[in-house]
Amino acid sequence: MESNNPSSISRKSNQNFNRTNQPARLSDLGLGKLPPQAPELEEALLGALMLEKEPLANVIELLKPETFYKEAHQKIFQAIQGLFQASQPVDLLTVNNYLKVNGDLEKAGGTSYLAQLTSRVSSTSNVEFHARIIIEQYIKRQLIHVSSEIQRLSYEDTTDVFQILDRMEQELFSIAESNIRKNYESMSDILKKAVDELEKKQKQKSGLTGIPSGFTELDRHTSGWQKQELIIIAARPGMGKTAFVVSACRNAALDFGHAVALFSLEMSSVQLVNRIISAEAEIEAEKIRKGKLEPHEWQQLHTKIDKLFQAPIYIDDTPALSILELRAKCRRLKAQKNIELIVIDYLQLMTGDTSGKGASGNREQEIAQISRALKQLAKELDVPVIALSQLNRSTETRGGNKKPQLSDLRESGAIEQDADQVMFIYRPEYYGITTDEQGNSIAGMGEIIMAKNRSGSLENVWLKFIGKFTKYCDLDFQPYADGNANGVFNLSELGDTASQFEQGQSDAVFKGSKMNLPPADFDPLNDPFA
């Protein structure tokens, strides 16, 4: 007969509790925490890989030996991976032999354990799903490790906080990039995307397939800044690199409604906005800098800049920006603001990988690393990336023609290799040249030299540079090429002054041509038709 004393009742209740309410995890009992893991799935996966060849081909590129939690499983997968890379058959016997030859059979649990793995497999249809769960557990373990390391460093007073932040970003990006890879696409899928893109382009009457710069002739040659392309815009100091790119950003954002991210490493955000105000309101930059505006200019400023308040332009003036910080900020801006264009002013002021794994103190290698990272960023975010760049002093020391060349790019030839387009800004007036070879005035003009263009022709474009407003804009006409071997451009002999007829027709666009040139003895001051 069963006793009903308190002690027996207590034992029964404890037994019932253990059977029905037993905690699933050791952490619930206060016995500590276990790292994220899925040993049963690891066993099922390894067994399936030794049974059939097809599942192996599907998951071999997703997994690494360290992805597995148990050391025995790491050794087994390392053997499977080695056999696969050597184009050897993968089965129980070959894996067993590989481990034996390399002295890892005992660490892998022995031959009996390998046999158990294959005998437990009932189906190989879910191998890829199992692999993804194992990878998720591995990523969690990595995140725990990084968090623990960051926590340890944060308690140390000797460690700089910004170095900790940089290391944290680098480690997190490393985890993401090493575990998330894009899969291949079939030819049929890619062709379908290409045809869809062509159909979209055909519907665009403007002919612009990318982000417009707002400069008519430049957009006609490039069809806009194209997605996934890295565009390098280079010039010597004083040529107006920032003025050009700020004008292009303003045009893309205000006239066409595209969100732009502008990273200014050289100028503060307020200085940059003052330039935009000067260009938009057409008030001299010097007056804005000094704050000496006339009453009518204040009215003009407020009238003109109203639409700037709604401009989708996002400016970051963090100095010495690292490529890791840039990538993190661009990802956030893409997710939050859907930016469609990224501009960096300028490339040589950026810093590369500070972890010690990258450039090893060599500035040329560091710039090469930065240019590669910018190209990767353009592809990852599916946006054009424009990076300004300085030129070396060889243009100054050259006799005669001062026009820049690809070899003048400063500090690294990798910039030229990674870029899809390389443009140079050249203002002859900077060197005291105010007329061309025919004696025509080229004061206040800048030439955009297309030195490299993977997707189009190498056509140069002339723009008007208005120094007092720090902006570039379209010319009323484009100079034509005279067809000589040097590709020298001659300006229209009619100059930059519009006729009375042109002034009265604001909607008309007039282009200079050779057919419209007057005779050589033509004197515009004595023109009877003027």
Side-chain angles (χ1 to χ4, degrees):
M1 186 172 177
E2 189 172 348
S3 173
N4 288 325
N5 60 53
S7 61
S8 63
I9 294 173
S10 175
R11 284 195 300 272
K12 287 200 298 184
S13 63
N14 287 338
Q15 290 169 359
N16 291 334
F17 173 81
N18 290 335
R19 284 196 299 268
T20 60
N21 299 315
Q22 186 173 8
R25 296 175 300 178
L26 291 176
S27 58
D28 295 333
L29 291 173
L31 299 178
K33 296 180 180 179
L34 286 175
Q37 56 185 285
E40 298 86 359
L41 292 179
E42 290 181 7
E43 293 173 359
L45 175 65
L46 292 171
L49 297 183
M50 289 188 287
L51 284 180
E52 292 189 17
K53 185 177 180 180
E54 185 178 347
L56 177 60
N58 293 335
V59 301
I60 192 70
E61 65 177 9
L62 300 175
L63 300 169
K64 297 174 288 188
E66 57 268 26
T67 308
F68 295 85
Y69 178 70
K70 294 181 67 175
E71 184 184 3
H73 296 167
Q74 292 178 5
K75 296 295 182 182
I76 295 170
F77 183 77
Q78 193 171 7
I80 293 173
Q81 191 179 51
L83 290 168
F84 182 84
Q85 291 174 350
S87 300
Q88 299 294 321
V90 177
D91 55 36
L92 176 59
L93 296 177
T94 55
V95 171
N96 185 80
N97 184 65
Y98 187 98
L99 291 167
K100 186 187 295 183
V101 170
N102 289 276
D104 292 330
L105 184 58
E106 186 177 347
K107 294 179 181 177
T111 305
S112 60
Y113 185 66
L114 293 177
Q116 289 177 18
L117 293 179
T118 56
S119 63
R120 292 175 183 175
V121 177
S122 58
S123 172
T124 61
S125 58
N126 298 322
V127 165
E128 192 169 349
F129 180 73
H130 292 166
R132 296 193 180 279
I133 295 177
I134 294 170
I135 292 170
E136 288 177 5
Q137 302 304 311
Y138 169 63
I139 293 175
K140 289 179 181 178
R141 294 198 299 273
Q142 286 185 300
L143 292 173
I144 291 171
H145 172 73
V146 170
S147 302
S148 301
E149 183 65 14
I150 297 301
Q151 187 178 28
R152 182 187 66 80
L153 292 173
S154 299
Y155 279 109
E156 295 182 1
D157 294 334
T158 57
T159 309
D160 183 72
V161 65
F162 295 105
Q163 290 182 355
I164 297 174
L165 286 171
D166 185 65
R167 179 170 178 176
M168 181 183 69
E169 283 191 345
Q170 178 196 347
E171 294 287 349
L172 291 175
F173 289 140
S174 176
I175 291 172
E177 290 176 357
S178 62
N179 291 285
I180 302 172
R181 295 290 182 182
K182 186 178 178 182
N183 203 356
Y184 66 87
E185 292 181 280
S186 66
M187 190 64 175
S188 59
D189 292 337
I190 299 172
L191 280 173
K192 187 176 183 302
K193 287 183 180 179
V195 171
D196 290 343
E197 190 173 329
L198 283 173
E199 290 176 351
K200 290 179 182 178
K201 290 177 180 179
Q202 188 179 19
K203 294 177 182 177
Q204 294 177 344
K205 297 180 180 179
S206 63
L208 294 174
T209 58
I211 306 300
S213 69
F215 304 122
T216 307
E217 284 298 313
L218 185 61
D219 286 338
R220 186 172 68 84
H221 294 307
T222 64
S223 296
W225 315 117
Q226 300 298 315
K227 293 180 179 180
Q228 301 189 5
E229 287 194 351
L230 172 61
I231 300 104
I232 299 294
I233 299 174
R236 287 292 296 160
M239 289 292 175
K241 295 187 299 297
T242 303
F244 173 81
V245 82
V246 166
S247 298
C249 289
R250 179 263 171 215
N251 296 339
L254 282 181
D255 296 341
F256 299 94
H258 297 289
V260 178
L262 177 54
F263 294 89
S264 176
L265 285 75
E266 186 178 27
M267 302 172 63
S268 71
S269 56
V270 175
Q271 288 176 315
L272 212 55
V273 168
N274 281 341
R275 283 198 170 201
I276 297 175
I277 292 172
S278 173
E280 189 67 22
E282 295 192 340
I283 299 173
E284 292 184 22
E286 186 176 356
K287 286 188 174 182
I288 291 178
R289 185 168 61 251
K290 294 179 178 179
K292 303 294 183 181
L293 271 64
E294 301 295 332
H296 73 277
E297 290 175 326
W298 278 109
Q299 184 178 359
Q300 180 180 339
L301 184 146
H302 287 293
T303 303
K304 290 282 188 178
I305 69 171
D306 275 348
K307 54 184 177 182
L308 286 178
F309 285 100
Q310 306 300 324
I313 301 175
Y314 306 96
I315 301 174
D316 186 310
D317 61 357
T318 305
L321 191 67
S322 73
I323 193 64
L324 294 174
E325 292 172 315
L326 176 70
R327 189 185 292 118
K329 291 181 177 185
C330 287
R331 283 171 173 164
R332 287 196 294 268
L333 282 169
K334 182 66 176 176
Q336 297 171 5
K337 305 297 182 182
N338 192 29
I339 55 171
E340 298 176 87
L341 176 65
I342 298 171
V343 179
I344 298 105
D345 181 16
Y346 56 91
L347 189 149
Q348 279 80 11
L349 291 179
M350 292 188 66
T351 58
D353 185 359
T354 58
S355 66
K357 301 177 184 177
S360 304
N362 187 309
R363 183 58 179 167
E364 184 174 338
Q365 293 178 10
E366 187 178 12
I367 292 295
Q369 180 194 41
I370 292 171
S371 68
R372 283 194 298 271
L374 293 179
K375 176 60 180 175
Q376 292 167 1
L377 182 65
K379 293 190 69 175
E380 178 188 343
L381 299 185
D382 194 32
V383 299
V385 173
I386 300 175
L388 303 190
S389 175
Q390 290 282 19
L391 295 176
N392 56 42
R393 294 183 60 84
S394 59
T395 55
E396 308 292 332
T397 58
R398 270 200 305 266
N401 193 350
K402 303 289 187 181
K403 287 189 178 182
Q405 305 168 0
L406 286 173
S407 58
D408 297 329
L409 284 170
R410 186 173 174 181
E411 289 180 317
S412 178
I415 299 175
E416 172 189 345
Q417 297 170 12
D418 296 327
D420 296 280
Q421 291 181 4
V422 178
M423 301 181 190
F424 295 123
I425 301 176
Y426 173 68
R427 289 196 301 113
E429 190 177 10
Y430 180 83
Y431 297 104
I433 304 172
T434 56
T435 57
D436 64 3
E437 294 180 354
Q438 283 70 38
N440 303 308
S441 175
I442 51 176
M445 296 183 186
E447 186 178 12
I448 309 301
I449 302 170
M450 184 72 73
K452 179 184 178 182
N453 187 5
R454 280 196 180 126
S455 306
S457 60
L458 302 178
E459 298 284 346
N460 297 353
V461 173
W462 285 85
L463 297 176
K464 180 186 293 184
F465 177 68
I466 308 176
K468 61 182 180 180
F469 301 147
T470 61
K471 75 172 182 178
Y472 278 89
C473 58
D474 280 331
L475 281 175
D476 297 330
F477 63 92
Q478 280 294 316
Y480 61 85
D482 64 3
N484 62 28
N486 297 324
V488 178
F489 285 84
N490 300 326
L491 300 179
S492 170
E493 294 179 6
L494 293 175
D496 194 24
T497 305
S499 66
Q500 295 176 357
F501 174 76
E502 291 172 358
Q503 292 173 359
Q505 300 291 330
S506 58
D507 295 332
V509 178
F510 293 85
K511 305 283 292 180
S513 73
K514 293 183 179 181
M515 294 179 63
N516 295 330
L517 286 178
D521 57 349
F522 173 73
D523 183 4
L525 297 178
N526 298 320
D527 180 16
F529 300 102

